[in-house]
Amino acid sequence: MGGLATALRLAKKGFNVEIIEKNVQAGGRLNQIKKDGFTFDTGPSFFSMSFEFKEFAKDCNIELPFKYIELDPLYTVNFSDNPKTFFLYKDIKKLAEQFKVIEPDFEEKMTKYLAKSGALFNDTVDLVIKNNFDSIFAYIITLMRVNPTHLPVLFRSFWQQVKRNFSSKEAQQIISLVAFFLGRTPFDTMAIYTLLSYTEFKHDGYFNVEGGMYKIVEGIVDELKKENVKITYNTEIVDFVSKENKLEYLLDSNGNKWNADAILINGDAAVFRSKVFKREKYSLAKLDKMNWTMGYLTFYIGLKCKLPQVNHHNYYLGANYEEYANNILQNPDTLQKPYYYVNVLSKYNLECAPEGCESLFFVCPVPNLLNKPNWDDKDKIVDSIIADFSKRIDKDIAPEIISRTIYTPIVWQNQFNLHRGSGLGLSHTMNQIGAFRPSNFDEKFKNVFYVGASTIPGAGLPMAIISSKLAYNRVEKFLK
Ligand SMILES: Cc1cc2nc3c(=O)[nH]c(=O)nc-3n(C[C@H](O)[C@H](O)[C@H](O)COP(=O)(O)OP(=O)(O)OC[C@H]3O[C@@H](n4cnc5c(N)ncnc54)[C@H](O)[C@@H]3O)c2cc1C
């Protein structure tokens, strides 16, 4: 996403751009599987901060090349020990209705919590998130300009912040779920990221794309074609030749040389420095010591029946949230009680499944390959999730399955060069954000730049769009 978006920004400003992609099709983690008559989105299933996409289209002077639809409810949440399904409405009154018995003053609490999350968002988005920093010093000076009332949240976890605001276990768990979208748990994510609660409930919400998320990629690739941007697929960059502080050319796995006045890397910013540039600071041992997001076990199921009882976006949680979240990154045994997300792409996109059929996408957060390198048990785990899901929706889906594809963290690692299969790249810990994250300009080669999840600002589609603007600014300034 970061690479495609920057390519379009540059091409629209008259630069001659060419893209080299390792895989058979564009999109990276935002990808698509077409199999047995079904269409599946492979990674992202919705996005937030739609205004970033609008700004991107405006910057490129185009109509946004895909249509998006607001989600309301945002998603549903179901606990294994509670027959009630929670609908996460954006309307706080409607949302509060569902907590009437367990947290009677939910509306006031949520309003207060969102006011704080909103202040965090508004005080950091332009200053910190959408900014290039040339040095750690410049970054720290900028941080000092952030409203000092936010200082205490630097020392709290997401969970602690939520716990200060809500007393029922259901509200605490539901409101803190969004921390999982950053690839860690609410217990090891900083409270500053409660700003995400504001983006989901208040500011803008979540959005689906008509026809599936991959329409974003298809739309941008079409725009790139109009600008004569050539994309060469099935070509992995594996080596380089440099002269002093300039990268002369990159070498691909077929022995081809690629050179340009400026080179932008969209492969993971830490992994590329390690695998291709072979930098000491990013040796494999040092990469392993960095803080990475969890892995994902994703699977794509085609059913020969419809599931009218299941909503579009759904979370299925167990009864041991704290224990689960505290163990998930380390202890593979936690998988015996998997928590998972189910997306029914064909619910509103009928063309994504044959008539009378349903296209399901399951995401289960799991340890990355550092903690669980062996996935021989993948079918057993998937079967256990399918059995749990069948129980929760009161329909055995196993006999209805006519298409089944599983991506373990090994697939994610090998397909997209993600370190140890870490789904979202580097975590967003204090020492891995802002100027402490691998920078979007190279330490050594003055003509090399980076874009994407493991450079600034971080993971997620809107962040990739912001990252593309930051990278564009660097490249444009360099080439001017
Ligand atoms: C399971 C899952 C669910 C997600 N859900 C959501 C969601 O609902 N909403 C959301 O906003 N975000 C979601 N995300 C996060 C989102 O997908 C990512 O943050 C975003 O897509 C990352 O984009 P990127 O620019 O870093 O590029 P990447 O997706 O990492 O793409 C990089 C590209 O570079 C190519 N490449 C890498 N190395 C080389 C090389 N050496 N030579 C040539 N090519 C190379 C890769 O093949 C790839 O095409 C999800 C991620 C996952 C894994």
Side-chain angles (χ1 to χ4, degrees), residues 2 21-23 28-29 43-46 237 266-267 417 424 452-453 460-461:
E21 165 57 49
K22 174 181 183 236
N23 283 291
R29 282 167 265 193
S45 47
F46 53 88
I237 299 298
N266 186 209
N417 291 353
L424 300 186
L461 296 177

Side-chain angles (χ1 to χ4, degrees), residues 411-449:
V411 177
W412 284 101
Q413 168 189 259
N414 296 345
Q415 198 158 338
F416 302 115
N417 291 353
L418 301 178
H419 184 65
R420 305 287 185 201
S422 151
L424 300 186
L426 282 170
S427 304
H428 304 78
T429 49
M430 183 72 98
N431 59 347
Q432 291 188 170
I433 53 172
F436 297 109
R437 212 164 173 76
S439 61
N440 62 0
F441 59 95
D442 194 64
E443 297 74 19
K444 187 164 175 214
F445 305 133
K446 62 178 178 15
N447 56 337
V448 173
F449 303 90

